[in-house]
Amino acid sequence: MRIELELAAVYVSDAQYNRNIVFDTSPQGIRLYMLYNHWGLLLLVYVFIIINLALAAFEDPALFPLPMWATLIAELICLLAFTGRLVHYARVIPRQRFWNDAKNICIIVVIMLTLVDMIIYGSMKAAGLYGVRCSRLLRPLLLVNITEGRQLRRAFRSIRNALPEIFYVFLLFIFSVLMFSLMALKLFGKRGLQTNEGNPYFTNYLEIVFDLYVLVTTANSPDVMMPAYNSNVFFAIFFIVYILVNTYIFMSVFLAVVYNNYKKYLKEEVRQLVRAKRSKMVRAFRVLQETEGAEPEGAEPTVTQARWNQLVRVVQPGITSAHRQLLWSVSDTDKKGRIGKMAFVQLADLLNIQVITLKSRPHPLKTWQPRLYDSAASRFVCRVVQHKAFTYVYDVIIMVNAVFIGLDEENPLISNVEWLFLGLYLLEILLKLYTFEPRAFFAKHQFWNWFDTIIVVSALIATAINSALRAGGGYSSRQVLDIVFILRILRLVRVMDSIKKCRSIMNTLIKIGPTILTFGQLILVVYYIFAMVGMELFKGKVTFFESDSTDPERAYCGNPLLKGSVFAGLKYCKNNFNDIVSSFILLLELTVVNQWHNILSGAERGKLFLFQFFSQLNGHKNIFLLFFFNAVSLLLTTGFTTVTHVSARIFFVLFHIVVVIIIINIFVAFVLEAFFVEY
Amino acid sequence: MRIELELAAVYVSDAQYNRNIVFDTSPQGIRLYMLYNHWGLLLLVYVFIIINLALAAFEDPALFPLPMWATLIAELICLLAFTGRLVHYARVIPRQRFWNDAKNICIIVVIMLTLVDMIIYGSMKAAGLYGVRCSRLLRPLLLVNITEGRQLRRAFRSIRNALPEIFYVFLLFIFSVLMFSLMALKLFGKRGLQTNEGNPYFTNYLEIVFDLYVLVTTANSPDVMMPAYNSNVFFAIFFIVYILVNTYIFMSVFLAVVYNNYKKYLKEEVRQLVRAKRSKMVRAFRVLQETEGAEPEGAEPTVTQARWNQLVRVVQPGITSAHRQLLWSVSDTDKKGRIGKMAFVQLADLLNIQVITLKSRPHPLKTWQPRLYDSAASRFVCRVVQHKAFTYVYDVIIMVNAVFIGLDEENPLISNVEWLFLGLYLLEILLKLYTFEPRAFFAKHQFWNWFDTIIVVSALIATAINSALRAGGGYSSRQVLDIVFILRILRLVRVMDSIKKCRSIMNTLIKIGPTILTFGQLILVVYYIFAMVGMELFKGKVTFFESDSTDPERAYCGNPLLKGSVFAGLKYCKNNFNDIVSSFILLLELTVVNQWHNILSGAERGKLFLFQFFSQLNGHKNIFLLFFFNAVSLLLTTGFTTVTHVSARIFFVLFHIVVVIIIINIFVAFVLEAFFVEY
Ligand code: NA
């Protein structure tokens, strides 16, 4: 009986959390499966994944250098943990299913490749040779496959499903760019025009293709047009048509295709989820069902209230009996003391509904000091706080506060006024706590009450620390001040909450937060892969010197080839691939698509880097990358000089295609759909 | 009877073309209304509107200067034409309806204001004073209101309906920008950082707001972040959060709101159109109906085939009797010789369906020379042309041709090879004409056949002209060569048509062409208004010198204030408001949102312009503009220096809000919806 109950409970909680794993239903199988789903183990897996990804900060090129053996051992431990998790999973589900699931094969392959790569790399390093840790590229795959990141996997599936459609639009788009480039070559190439830097304008086909590709992103508009436009007004037509077709129409079509696929796929996924959930609940029902009394046939199997109560207590041990009673009364509408399959199946959804218990409990002060709390003065205070004008007054106070924040905080008058405002905000919270029942005021769904209180209390603490520091040594910590200012300004957000329409928009935005988190993981995966490749290709090409450095190399980012370049002139030296954090920020700048041709020129100017790279490769026979670059060079067959140029461009264009055309459009589709549904 | 028929015909054609005008049903009322809808008059109205709008090219600041009296007279004639059209309209529809329609009031007001403005301007000029033609701003309103541009008016209505929703999102967005700016002021202002130009970084609140607004458009990314990022890596977080919230989330929400409203409104409009169409058809039916025979009651009124035939012949005089017969058989499914209301109402839609008559007519050559055309050799040719391989061979030829186009055309070998290719293309068309019936080959819907033939024949003519010119004087016209090249390259588009998926995408794009035209009018209206204001504010501030000019002023666009500016350095001098064409191109560059802060700096550097402007205004009491600029200056209350700065910025930011946030999003919504429906 106990085992049956546990089995049913597992089915119900699988349905509740949309898990979809087939497991062995023997008693020890069930225990193993419950252990597999234990939150502690899940957390541990996430910790190991984060450690594994974070290793990039400690490996060469490192943000915080650690000896090689330390990172290798840390990675080994992570791999062991992942293997353990996988072995656990293999013992939970039937052998056949385990080997049929691409996810598991993927994990095994990644672990094997990583091990092999670690051994090769370790021994090469030990022998004093140059080595590349290729398998670092594969780490994000573990994030996608090991965790129960269904949302993330769904997003990837959605991309994979959209790819064929996107491919054809992309084909047309690239064809269009190539045709326009050919036209540009023929129209402008022979006119002897010059770019602003004095180079010949639009004479090399591949250069034109690149320039016009960049124009799609608008990053070099209107510069790329100016030489032609300055020579003849009518040439502007070429660029206008180009931008209309490629920037506006094709980019919209990309969005349309991605959005369409996203919606189509989402619907299908939701349908499957509902079906799986139902089948789990039916299985739970079958385990617990009893046929009523002596009626032989046609009698519908049911579950008694006693059994149901036991089940709910196992599934959700913390549930209050009032809540459980409520759920039962919703299920057993006929009050028979037993429910059929139809009613039982709802349980998973019922458990997911947050029941807000809005008992009108008396205020604790009323219980404690009833005479005082019910006095005329006290009742007047409560009425004032509940009045609309109270909110308006505080809105005005917030706006006055905003003006004071804008003023110079080093003026002692103004810093004292800050105390007044803090006092007013604190008063507001205390008054509200006096008026409203505190547990209702701090209920889970009272987002803005929590927000206000946390902000005001933190601001109070931070301001106090700051004053103490200043009083102590006349010294004021910039970090603490920064926090104080951010808290003060966040407080102003409350004003917007007073406008009803704005509040509903803000609530929608808050609701789509989790979706954006999924998207954050998606972009983490893509960024991580590009960062690894970028660091391998471009590390150390560009060096950043602190502003107090007197090194003469500072003027050209430590690379003589960058002398006099736009890149150095714009002080872009910190935009480099020298560590994981810089790489991520650089990739973000590339995502925003502006100045990326200039950033790229920083990478390009290290003209010799690929030569060095090739010689290293040839020395150490890193076959995969060698093959990749040979393919690239074959593809372009325009000699080595162009390849050094072009391969850096390929990296950046590839990034643009993956991130801007696909990922950002998915994001916009996310937001569009979420907004349509929620708002 | 004749009059009844005409009335019914007018109803049917109103339903067919979605006209929705209530007219006087007296015989002369109908005649007047028919005249009002005559295509010749419609064309004339469009011509006058185009002339009226085009006057901007001849008025100061002019592209082609004309004396003031000439443009004034031309405008007067246009106004007369519009008045005539309006009077005609007033006689067609009932008086009450005329005065209730905002459209008509708008036209009358525009005409009156324009007349007054012309008189003031003319007399000021005559007196040698400075005048501003404010009413030029109103011209696009005539395009919106006078023409039967229902699509355009619908687009404007859709914008107007979306405005309240957009407003609240915009409020939140602006609030967010202001809050982030305040945070930036507090975080970075006291750190003594410097921009790349050596100015203090983020110390002036209004400057920060502008910089961060520009960052939303990504135009100054990553430059605006570099000083902070160079001083501390963690400051990058501020900009990352800012871009995520304001560029990605808010811009997506704008798209969501615009798209949502567009769809909602479109559905409502379509519903109304269908209702109006039905009621017109019911009215036409009532005019023509006869109750059958002697049956007194319950007898459904019908229309006989004879009457129906007369009606169709009036509505569409060019219709073939076969086509008419087809339409009747579709309506009269029971073959009774008379149809009821339900069947009659379909007529408007039936007439709109393009019937492609695919009669398998014999090839004219077969009729003329049957023996020759049916010979084995001739049949073999036909089979070859119809074979798939024929298409593939020509695809390969086109791709080889693409390579040759890319090569240097001054090489005589290559220019001769071009003749070969032209010959091959001509041969293809001739072979196809030999195989397929010519009238079927050149049917209306055969887009690609028409495309090929026009391109090849034009290329043949242009190449011949070019050769003749070269043979004649050894001189080769660049213009003709340009056309030849464009034609050659357009020919390559055909390759994409061979891939089925690509063809369907291209067909979708071709189908949404008309929608894009509506959008083109919309953008014309907005651009025209901004161009008029821009020309008045910024004309002559920046001068373009041809590249062969030796004028020393060329280095700084003729404005000493631009000496050493980025604007002059990037050779942006032609980006000015000196005439209507330059203005439109400049506005397009601003729409693309890149470098606009640099373009703007060109306008800003004319620091004195507003001072000049104010003195001119004060002299001549142009009250409206004076009020506008006073409001701006009051609003900002930061002294005159800032106002000269800021008012130029206001112009550009306003343009960004109107065009990029609203119009471009409407365009994307257009394309999205069209793509969802068509594809
Ligand atoms: Na840009």
Side-chain angles (χ1 to χ4, degrees), chain A residues 217-220 592-595, chain B residues 217-221 592-595:
Chain A
T217 72
T218 77
N220 58 358
V592 168
V593 193
N594 203 55
Q595 291 281 20
Chain B
T217 71
T218 78
N220 58 0
S221 158
V592 169
V593 192
N594 202 56
Q595 291 281 19

Side-chain angles (χ1 to χ4, degrees), chain A residues 566-568 570 572 594-603, chain B residues 223 595:
Chain A
V566 179
F567 184 86
L570 290 171
Y572 278 4
N594 203 55
Q595 291 281 20
W596 67 300
H597 49 308
N598 278 331
I599 295 171
L600 172 49
S601 79
Chain B
D223 308 71
Q595 291 281 19

Side-chain angles (χ1 to χ4, degrees), chain A residues 469-521:
Chain A
L469 283 176
R470 205 182 305 185
Y475 152 88
S476 155
S477 162
R478 273 250 65 109
Q479 278 75 29
V480 176
L481 260 185
D482 287 349
I483 292 167
V484 171
F485 285 131
I486 291 172
L487 290 171
R488 275 184 202 163
I489 292 164
L490 281 179
R491 224 158 48 195
L492 306 180
V493 173
R494 247 274 309 276
V495 165
M496 280 292 120
D497 196 47
S498 306
I499 302 168
K500 209 179 138 203
K501 267 278 188 183
C502 288
R503 192 196 308 155
S504 83
I505 297 170
M506 288 207 303
N507 286 338
T508 309
L509 290 179
I510 291 168
K511 269 187 208 149
I512 64 178
T515 327
I516 289 175
L517 276 188
T518 304
F519 176 77
Q521 286 178 291

Side-chain angles (χ1 to χ4, degrees), chain A residues 46-59 75 78 82 136-143 524-525 528 532 580 584:
Chain A
Y46 263 105
V47 169
F48 277 113
I49 283 174
I50 290 169
I51 292 175
N52 194 32
L53 289 175
L55 281 177
F58 306 98
E59 292 163 340
E75 184 151 22
C78 291
F82 300 146
R136 302 203 295 172
L137 289 182
L138 306 174
R139 284 179 191 158
L141 293 182
L142 296 172
L143 171 64
L524 175 73
V525 170
Y528 199 87
M532 291 300 122
I580 184 84
F584 266 62

